[in-house]
Amino acid sequence: MTTASCHHGRGQRLLVLAQRHLTWVMPVAYGAAALLPQAGRWARRMPCGALWLPGGGQAVLTLQTLLLAYVLFIAALQVRVRDLTVLLRRPALLMAGTAANTAVPLLILLLLAGTFLLLPDADGGSGLLTGLALIAAMPVAGGATVWGSRAGGNQTLVVGLVMSSTLLSPLTIPLTLAGAAAVTSGTYSLALARMAHLAGGAHAAAGVVAPCLMGVAIRAALPERLIARALPWLKLLALAAALALTYLNACGAFADLIARPRPALLALATMAAAAMCAASFVLGWCLARMLRAAHADAIALTFTSGMNNSSASAVLATTGFPGHPHVLLPILAYSVLQKLLAGLADHALAGRRPADGEGAAVGPYLGRGTVPPLDRLQ
């Protein structure tokens, strides 16, 4: 056995070990944000450059932006161009998953709106509903690529759904925020209506689609053997980047929560976020079953339906509602819960995984060209 093979084998073993304990390591990042928020708040304010967008716009690069870009780059690096072409030739699951990411959270938001508006604290009710609206408006989270890969999902479909939902975000974000403005009141409704007219999705598209395209292009340009040798170590760094991103996102929200604890409001925000997140996971799995998707594709649809970009939601909450910190409460709760539910979904789906040789069963929408999971491609 060569030195390169030993090096690759060691990296693969470490990667499997890290993925196995990912469910329990994520809460540690939140605990660190609660106990040691100073370093995270300093890192969040640290500028890392700027990116010029088409049309003359400019996006400020932060450490969070760079960490998310690296996670997405590594996810796309695992995708081969020929697999994407298969996905585009049979776009039914891609279209269904993209539609579900937009429609499912909005539907749940509208169902929760009636309950929230009955609360005696009208300000708190609309504030929490606004936080849920900011979650519902966001495209698929980049972290879905990490969890989808860990669960054995179709990585090509996961990356395709991240890219497609983000490319459509200049249309879907205003649509969702306008719907939320209609069911909220006062300054919240006015602020959501104003935000619905801003092209915030263009910044998200640049920050998500660019690293994805770069990863696919580099995978096509470099020798397959070189990619296979380096990928376990690069994926380990991506897991570390995801942990760091979790810590940084939590630091901002925990500061106000610790300074002014409001247990009743926090409990209500947690229950509402749990309802939205759990229903999104379940409806994603039900959609996959209705489409008779292959197992790896069903995992991809489940995780992309249940995981929205809470990092972008937190940014919109802090910039759009600086005087209303409780808007962040459901976003913070959702950020924690979607990772915990992702771990539970991974555990539940583990018992349903087909044995080797049984995964060839495919649904009518993808046919014999179904893209297999990453582990079978390498």
Side-chain angles (χ1 to χ4, degrees):
M1 183 178 292
T2 63
T3 303
S5 298
C6 292
H7 189 67
H8 173 268
R10 190 182 308 115
Q12 189 64 38
R13 286 192 297 272
L14 288 174
L15 177 62
V16 171
L17 181 64
Q19 289 177 331
R20 186 177 302 158
H21 296 286
L22 186 61
T23 305
W24 309 111
V25 173
M26 283 294 182
V28 173
Y30 286 106
L35 297 175
L36 301 169
Q38 295 82 4
R41 290 201 295 268
W42 174 81
R44 285 165 60 93
R45 293 192 297 266
M46 182 177 61
C48 298
L51 178 68
W52 292 98
L53 301 175
Q58 186 179 13
V60 177
L61 294 178
T62 63
L63 183 57
Q64 294 162 280
T65 306
L66 296 179
L67 289 171
L68 179 60
Y70 178 74
V71 170
L72 293 170
F73 169 77
I74 297 303
L77 192 64
Q78 302 171 54
V79 175
R80 297 172 180 176
V81 174
R82 64 174 178 267
D83 301 331
L84 279 177
T85 58
V86 170
L87 186 63
L88 293 175
R89 286 200 302 267
R90 296 175 175 86
L93 285 182
L94 182 65
M95 294 171 62
T98 304
N101 176 256
T102 302
V104 168
L106 181 58
L107 176 62
I108 298 170
L109 175 71
L110 295 177
L111 291 175
L112 290 173
T115 303
F116 271 75
L117 294 178
L118 294 176
L119 294 174
D121 182 4
D123 180 73
S126 286
L128 294 183
L129 193 61
T130 297
L132 293 173
L134 296 179
I135 297 168
M138 292 301 109
V140 178
T145 60
V146 177
W147 288 98
S149 175
R150 179 185 188 273
N154 184 340
Q155 189 77 347
T156 303
L157 181 57
V158 174
V159 172
L161 286 168
V162 171
M163 294 176 65
S164 64
S165 64
T166 307
L167 281 172
L168 290 174
S169 62
L171 298 175
T172 57
I173 289 177
L175 174 67
T176 306
L177 294 181
V183 295
T184 52
S185 59
T187 57
Y188 298 102
S189 179
L190 294 175
L192 288 170
R194 184 178 66 252
M195 294 169 69
H197 289 86
L198 300 178
H203 295 267
V208 171
V209 176
C212 286
L213 292 178
M214 188 180 301
V216 172
I218 290 178
R219 177 65 182 257
L222 293 180
E224 198 66 32
R225 182 174 299 178
L226 178 61
I227 294 290
R229 187 181 305 147
L231 202 51
W233 298 100
L234 295 175
K235 290 171 71 175
L236 272 173
L237 289 176
L239 288 177
L243 284 173
L245 191 60
T246 299
Y247 166 76
L248 291 175
N249 290 334
C251 283
F254 273 129
D256 178 75
L257 185 61
I258 294 173
R260 292 188 296 170
R262 285 173 284 183
L265 200 58
L266 177 60
L268 183 60
T270 301
M271 288 189 291
M276 173 176 281
C277 191
S280 298
F281 272 100
V282 171
L283 291 176
W285 171 253
C286 292
L287 174 64
R289 298 292 290 176
M290 287 174 56
L291 297 176
R292 297 175 59 194
H295 186 73
D297 300 322
I299 292 175
L301 283 175
T302 301
F303 280 87
T304 53
S305 296
M307 302 189 74
N308 280 34
N309 193 334
S310 57
S311 300
S313 305
V315 171
L316 285 180
T318 54
T319 57
F321 302 91
H324 305 278
H326 57 275
V327 173
L328 270 172
L329 290 181
I331 298 175
L332 172 62
Y334 187 93
S335 180
V336 177
L337 288 168
Q338 75 172 347
K339 295 175 179 64
L340 293 177
L341 288 174
L344 292 175
D346 177 37
H347 180 73
L349 293 172
R352 298 171 178 260
R353 287 179 188 137
D356 289 343
E358 297 178 5
V362 296
Y365 288 85
L366 287 186
R368 300 177 67 87
T370 301
V371 181
L374 174 66
D375 293 341
R376 299 188 182 184
L377 289 174
Q378 294 181 338

